[in-house]
Amino acid sequence: MGLTKTALFTKQQNEIAAMAKALAHPARIAIIQYLIKQNACICGDLVEQLGLAQATISQHLKELKAVGIIQGTIEGASVCYCIDPKTWKRYQQVFAGFLKDVDFKDSSCC
Amino acid sequence: MGLTKTALFTKQQNEIAAMAKALAHPARIAIIQYLIKQNACICGDLVEQLGLAQATISQHLKELKAVGIIQGTIEGASVCYCIDPKTWKRYQQVFAGFLKDVDFKDSSCC
DNA sequence: TTGTTACATTGCAATATTACGATAAAACAA
DNA sequence: TTGTTTTATCGTAATATTGCAATGTAACAA
């Protein structure tokens, strides 16, 4: 069917998966890293930097905006993008919480 | 085209994206959480727990095995799955490294 | 106004993912 | 051996993702 059965899982599980999905493409990782390095930039900079078509970059930016990890502010004809500090902290917390230390038994399997 | 242009990105960016992709489905999050809670379990347990078809669970297990986050050992007719401690630590390090603290300028955007 | 620049959106093609029934394979019991 | 249990794999359908050319839209300049 190709449709994830969201209802079978907890809210938390769906949230972690959705957050991971936003990071599940190298172009989006590259965008985030570039935004951190430059503090902020416009869409055109990313098109040059990454070597993907403008429409493609715009689509990736849309996805990152949808999960709230970046925000864009209109700056004349261009749009200035940057990391949203609040969502960034949430990402840190959620992933640190999920990837917590586990007390693995000796050679854990059976 | 539907084909990610892997060559445009660094090895590190591709790795982070691949690791995130493995976590980008709630069923796989649920499987990992259950494995941590129970220390280990067999495929049949997960089929009961999650309410997905056996073929579907088996497929998710295959993906998790492919990135090395879980390992399976044959135990008679069944297969015992558990978290791979080494890969788990790598996940912790990689995500902690990527989601590091950022010194956000005042209201960071432009 | 006309033209230009910067992005977003639309429409499409190629590929990937999700899900499951059916079937295969391997271990074991009777 | 035959049957049962457990998991993997195959085949298929439905849906999602990736990528880009073309087009739309908004801001600005001349």
Side-chain angles (χ1 to χ4, degrees), chain A residues 45-83:
Chain A
D45 294 341
L46 293 165
V47 176
E48 272 187 43
Q49 271 289 315
L50 303 199
L52 286 172
Q54 182 266 322
T56 307
I57 297 290
S58 195
Q59 197 176 307
H60 283 302
L61 287 170
K62 192 179 178 182
E63 282 181 68
L64 291 172
K65 238 186 334 188
V67 294
I69 205 170
I70 68 171
Q71 57 187 65
T73 34
I74 298 174
E75 194 76 13
S78 53
V79 178
C80 175
Y81 285 100
C82 64
I83 304 287

Side-chain angles (χ1 to χ4, degrees), chain B:
Chain B
M1 322 237 165
L3 178 59
T4 295
K5 294 193 156 179
T6 305
L8 288 178
F9 310 103
T10 68
K11 202 171 169 180
Q12 188 216 19
Q13 287 162 345
N14 284 309
E15 191 197 9
I16 297 174
M19 289 171 84
K21 202 173 192 177
L23 303 180
H25 193 287
R28 294 195 289 271
I29 299 294
I31 288 171
I32 292 169
Q33 288 179 332
Y34 189 73
L35 282 179
I36 289 174
K37 198 176 116 204
Q38 305 289 322
N39 190 53
C41 74
I42 61 171
C43 172
D45 294 340
L46 292 164
V47 175
E48 270 188 45
Q49 272 289 315
L50 303 198
L52 286 172
Q54 181 266 323
T56 308
I57 297 290
S58 194
Q59 199 173 305
H60 283 302
L61 287 170
K62 192 178 177 182
E63 281 181 67
L64 290 172
K65 236 185 336 187
V67 294
I69 206 170
I70 67 171
Q71 57 188 64
T73 34
I74 297 174
E75 194 77 12
S78 51
V79 178
C80 175
Y81 284 101
C82 64
I83 304 287
D84 182 315
K86 215 165 184 171
T87 309
W88 188 255
K89 277 187 197 100
R90 175 136 189 81
Y91 264 68
Q92 292 179 321
Q93 286 167 0
V94 168
F95 279 89
F98 175 69
L99 293 167
K100 65 181 181 295
D101 285 320
V102 177
D103 178 32
F104 297 112
K105 313 287 186 271
D106 275 348
S107 69
S108 28
C109 255
C110 301

